[in-house]
Amino acid sequence: MKMKSDDKLIVMLSTYNGERFLDEQLESIFSQKTDAHIKVVVRDDGSKDGTKTILNKWATNHDLEIVEDGLSLGAAKSFWRLLNTVGDADYYAFVDQDDRWDVDKIQTAIDEIGEKEEPTLWFSNFRLMDEQGHPLPDDISNAEPEISMESELVCGFVAGCAMVFNRAALRKIRSYPIHQIPMHDVVMIEYMLAIGKVIYQSRPLFSYRLHSNNTVAKGGKPFLKRIKASFKQWFVVNKNAYQKFCGEMLSLIGDELAPETRNYFEKIAFSKKSLTNRWAIVKDPRSKHNNKRALRSFRMRTLLGLL
C-alpha cells in the first residue's frame, strides 16, 4: 500500500546520558526514505552529559520537540509519560537513544499496517551491533520468535524500539487506566496481543546496540556488572512488578482473555502468596522460551516470589 503524503508519524524517544550514540540514531531517523512526515518527541530523564546540547542542535533544523519536566522517572515511566502526552498522528514509534534504523524501517512499517481501523502494532526483527557499530554474532534475534501473552512474560521478544503502531492502538491503550508498567514495551505488546492485531516483519530493519550501559539488555555488560544489574532489577526496580501487572490486566480486560491465558495470569498475580502457585508456573509448559538465560531468570524470580 502506498502511503499518503500527509501521513504523520511521531517517534517517542526517552534520553538519559545518551551523548555517545544519539547523533547516529537521530541521523538514522531523519534520513528515513518515506513520504510521511516524521516528528521526534524527546523526553529527557535528567541527563548530566551533553545530551541536551545534541537535542537542541537537531531541533534547530528538524521537527524535534524536547519535553523537560525536571523529573527522573526511569526508562519505563519516561516512555509511558510520552505515550500519554504526545499529540495526534497517524502512526507512532518508540526508539532507543543508542540504536540505528535502516532507511526503510518506517516506510515498511506503515505500508504493512496500512489504514487499518483496528488497533494494530507492527514490529520488526533486528540485528545486534557492538559499541562501535560492528555486527555481532546473534543467536537470539535470528531465532523464530515465540510470541504469545505467556511467552512475553517469560522473556519479551518484542522490544519497544522495534514497534510502530497506529492511532487506534494509541487511543485504545489510553482508554485503560493503566498504572502498572514493568516496562513500556511489555505493557504495549501484552494489551495488543489481547485486544488488537500484531504484525511481525522477520526482516531486520534496525541495529540494536549492545554496550555496558544498556538499561535492560545484559549482553554488552561484563559479568559482575550483569550480576549487579540483575540484582537491581529483581530486588529493587521490578520486584513483584509482573504480579501487579497481571493483576491489573485481569481487572481491566480479564473478560477478554482466553480462559487458558486468564488462568496463567491468575497464577502469576497470586504467586507471591503461594509456593504451590509458583511451582505450578515453573512447571507450566507455557513457561518456556528459546532464550535460555532469560528462562532461567524467569524461573528463579518466580520461585523466589519476586516476579
Side-chain angles (χ1 to χ4, degrees):
M1 173 195 157
K2 190 178 186 301
M3 290 180 296
K4 306 189 300 295
S5 60
D6 58 346
D7 278 337
K8 179 178 180 181
L9 180 136
I10 291 179
V11 178
M12 292 171 281
L13 167 62
S14 176
T15 55
Y16 179 71
N17 291 346
E19 65 177 5
R20 291 179 64 195
F21 310 115
L22 186 55
D23 267 320
E24 184 178 355
Q25 176 62 293
L26 290 172
E27 176 68 33
S28 75
I29 293 171
F30 286 115
S31 297
Q32 289 293 297
K33 293 184 177 179
T34 175
D35 291 330
H37 177 79
I38 294 178
K39 176 177 182 176
V40 176
V41 180
V42 188
R43 184 188 176 279
D44 187 74
D45 203 39
S47 294
K48 307 300 183 186
D49 63 357
T51 293
K52 295 177 186 177
T53 300
I54 295 171
L55 294 174
N56 284 319
K57 177 190 70 175
W58 280 88
T60 58
N61 296 310
H62 298 83
D63 194 353
L64 186 148
E65 175 186 347
I66 304 169
V67 177
E68 291 189 84
D69 51 25
L71 300 174
S72 294
L73 301 176
K77 291 182 179 178
S78 183
F79 273 112
W80 203 252
R81 177 160 290 200
L82 281 169
L83 182 83
N84 282 284
T85 56
V86 293
D88 187 56
D90 301 286
Y91 305 94
Y92 300 85
F94 293 121
V95 68
D96 291 345
Q97 64 187 10
D98 43 16
D99 299 333
R100 184 173 63 220
W101 284 6
D102 293 7
V103 294
D104 59 339
K105 176 181 176 180
I106 290 305
Q107 179 168 355
T108 302
I110 296 180
D111 282 350
E112 294 186 6
I113 295 173
E115 296 183 11
K116 291 180 175 61
E117 295 183 1
E118 64 183 314
T120 304
L121 181 147
W122 173 99
F123 73 101
S124 78
N125 202 347
F126 59 93
R127 66 188 72 84
L128 295 179
M129 64 178 175
D130 63 16
E131 295 193 37
Q132 288 72 42
H134 302 137
L136 288 171
D138 181 15
D139 60 355
I140 297 176
S141 65
N142 290 328
E144 280 296 315
E146 301 179 39
I147 305 168
S148 69
M149 294 186 70
E150 294 85 354
S151 68
E152 286 300 303
L153 290 177
V154 177
C155 175
F157 178 86
V158 189
C161 54
M163 296 177 178
V164 179
F165 47 95
N166 61 5
R167 180 191 287 121
L170 180 82
R171 290 179 175 176
K172 189 67 174 178
I173 290 294
R174 283 181 175 178
S175 72
Y176 299 119
I178 298 171
H179 300 289
Q180 300 301 326
I181 320 292
M183 275 303 288
H184 61 290
D185 46 13
V186 171
V187 180
M188 281 297 301
I189 189 58
E190 292 289 3
Y191 277 86
M192 290 303 299
L193 285 168
I195 51 87
K197 179 179 178 62
V198 174
I199 301 171
Y200 173 56
Q201 168 55 252
S202 61
R203 180 165 64 93
L205 285 165
F206 71 102
S207 295
Y208 184 90
R209 193 186 306 267
L210 289 180
H211 58 88
S212 59
N213 291 320
N214 281 116
T215 301
V216 176
K218 307 294 193 304
K221 295 179 171 66
F223 175 74
L224 290 178
K225 197 164 186 176
R226 288 205 309 269
I227 297 299
K228 183 179 179 181
S230 294
F231 185 91
K232 183 178 180 180
Q233 288 292 323
W234 290 16
F235 291 94
V236 182
V237 178
N238 276 338
K239 183 179 180 181
N240 302 132
Y242 286 84
Q243 296 171 26
K244 297 172 184 176
F245 168 71
C246 288
E248 181 177 78
M249 194 170 191
L250 286 166
S251 70
L252 294 177
I253 62 167
D255 292 343
E256 300 183 53
L257 302 180
E260 299 81 5
T261 299
R262 186 165 62 246
N263 173 261
Y264 190 83
F265 272 59
E266 287 170 347
K267 287 181 182 178
I268 291 180
F270 297 103
S271 60
K272 186 177 181 181
K273 300 178 180 179
S274 169
L275 180 59
T276 302
N277 252 10
R278 297 202 292 272
W279 182 248
I281 293 167
V282 170
K283 299 301 290 183
D284 193 302
R286 293 168 295 180
S287 297
K288 62 179 182 178
H289 207 279
N290 54 25
N291 185 333
K292 302 305 180 184
R293 180 187 291 175
L295 181 58
R296 286 195 300 270
S297 170
F298 175 83
R299 289 171 173 169
M300 291 174 65
R301 286 180 291 132
T302 299
L303 290 173
L304 291 171
L306 299 172
L307 198 60

